[in-house]
Amino acid sequence: MAGMTDPAAAPEDLPPTLKVERHGAVAVLKLNRAAKRNALDDPTVLGIETFFSALADDVRAVVLAGEGDHFSAGLDLSELAELTTSAGIAHSRFWHRVFDRIEFGNVPVVAVMHGAVVGGGLELAAAAHIRVAERSAFYALPEASRGIFVGGGGSVRLPPLIGAARVMDMMLTGRTLSAEDGQAIGISQYLVDEGEGLAKGLELAHRIAGNAPFSNFAAMHLLPRIARSDPSAGYVTEALGAAIAQGDDDAKARLKAFLEKRAPKVARN
Ligand code: 1HE
């Protein structure tokens, strides 16, 4: 939750393969390794952890995007070639820790995807809370053709998003899905024209940043756990979340503003 964070990471704490911009209450984290199609090497993944572990208190939402023509070509394959089995387990668990930091961090994350969103790149995007796709985006899980398996949480996060049968198909056949396919099956929640992803991501992130921090916290931390729990535990957890939210001064002020006709109505599309 905002207000409970560690001191912000200074730019010098991050590797050159990451770039940070501030847009008011929104921080934009860009993968900045276009020459290698934003392949995720260890320093980059470690930098992602540093960034999400040390967000400034006044950052209320994050946009995650990629420089160049691709969001991310996934795991840096040159790093994997020499790993032993036990080092491979540690490497995968390292990715799990970092991507968990995104999914269950302090603020919601909007991923803006374009070009290749493959392997670990898709796993990274799956850890975000909202995904915006540009029309150039394409999705694949080429691990099997490289003789490996997903290791960045894809087998956990992708089935609830698009269904285990589709993930199985992507894993076994290595098929590529288009941006339109991805929108139809739920990889992305928004599909926009080329070059418009960042603007859309920022618009959404600013809207998210305007919510009560506890409401965002509850959506991020309660919803996925309730969705995975048995309904009776889910209802009780939801009731506790609802009560905590409404007890907050922020909620009271927002409700009063609506009742006094000072707050916007829900807009028709
Ligand atoms: C890389 C990587 C990479 C590119 N690791 N270096 N991911 C993959 O299997 C995808 C592999 N990449 C590709 O299929 C293609 O590069 C793309 C379709 C993404 C882009 O094609 P293109 O023609 O624009 O670029 P390119 O010429 O293939 O690559 C440009 C450079 O980036 C080149 O290096 P260069 O020194 O010869 O210029 C490539 O070697 C390099 N490059 N992708 C390392 N992935 C935790 S488990 C997760 C498991 C996975 O993620 S497996 C999926 C891995």
Side-chain angles (χ1 to χ4, degrees):
M1 258 176 90
M4 294 171 52
T5 53
D6 305 324
E12 61 268 23
D13 297 333
L14 299 179
T17 52
L18 292 174
K19 205 162 95 179
V20 179
E21 295 164 10
R22 268 304 283 271
H23 295 253
V26 176
V28 178
L29 178 65
K30 284 186 177 167
L31 305 174
N32 187 34
R33 201 183 177 213
K36 294 287 183 187
R37 306 310 185 250
N38 292 326
L40 299 166
D41 59 359
D42 284 352
T44 304
V45 177
L46 208 52
I48 293 172
E49 180 175 47
T50 303
F51 172 82
F52 281 100
S53 302
L55 278 176
D57 275 355
D58 57 349
V59 171
R60 297 292 166 91
V62 168
V63 173
L64 176 62
E67 286 287 3
D69 293 336
H70 301 280
F71 176 74
S72 173
L75 173 70
D76 187 317
L77 294 169
S78 67
E79 282 191 340
L80 204 64
E82 303 301 324
L83 285 190
T84 62
T85 300
S86 57
I89 293 172
H91 188 264
S92 171
R93 298 296 290 147
F94 158 55
W95 277 49
H96 292 162
R97 188 182 81 221
V98 175
F99 290 7
D100 239 49
R101 192 77 211 186
I102 299 173
E103 183 178 6
F104 295 113
N106 294 320
V107 299
V109 180
V110 180
V112 174
M113 309 178 295
H114 72 298
V117 186
V118 305
L122 181 55
E123 295 180 292
L124 173 62
H129 304 92
I130 305 271
R131 278 161 297 280
V132 175
E134 292 190 353
R135 290 198 184 274
S136 66
F138 59 97
Y139 312 102
L141 294 174
E143 282 83 353
S145 68
R146 315 270 181 237
I148 56 177
F149 187 56
V150 289
S155 57
V156 174
R157 289 196 181 92
L158 291 172
L161 259 190
I162 64 173
R166 289 196 182 92
V167 182
M168 180 71 85
D169 181 23
M170 291 176 78
M171 283 181 171
L172 291 180
T173 69
R175 74 184 284 182
T176 298
L177 301 179
S178 68
E180 285 77 16
D181 294 333
Q183 177 70 15
I185 65 175
I187 294 179
S188 56
Q189 289 105 323
Y190 298 86
L191 177 60
V192 297
D193 285 338
E194 215 39 37
E196 292 181 3
L198 194 59
K200 185 69 185 177
L202 281 167
E203 175 205 321
L204 297 170
H206 281 292
R207 211 183 302 165
I208 291 166
N211 294 335
F214 182 80
S215 300
N216 284 344
F217 173 86
M220 288 172 64
H221 290 267
L222 299 189
L223 173 64
R225 291 175 168 111
I226 289 172
R228 285 200 292 262
S229 66
D230 79 275
S232 65
Y235 288 128
V236 172
T237 308
E238 180 186 273
L240 294 176
I244 292 167
Q246 82 192 32
D248 203 287
D249 287 348
D250 194 350
K252 299 209 183 319
R254 285 166 187 259
L255 296 174
K256 193 158 176 276
F258 175 75
L259 295 172
E260 292 172 356
K261 307 208 181 300
R262 290 182 285 109
K265 296 184 185 183
V266 173
R268 280 176 199 272
N269 273 330

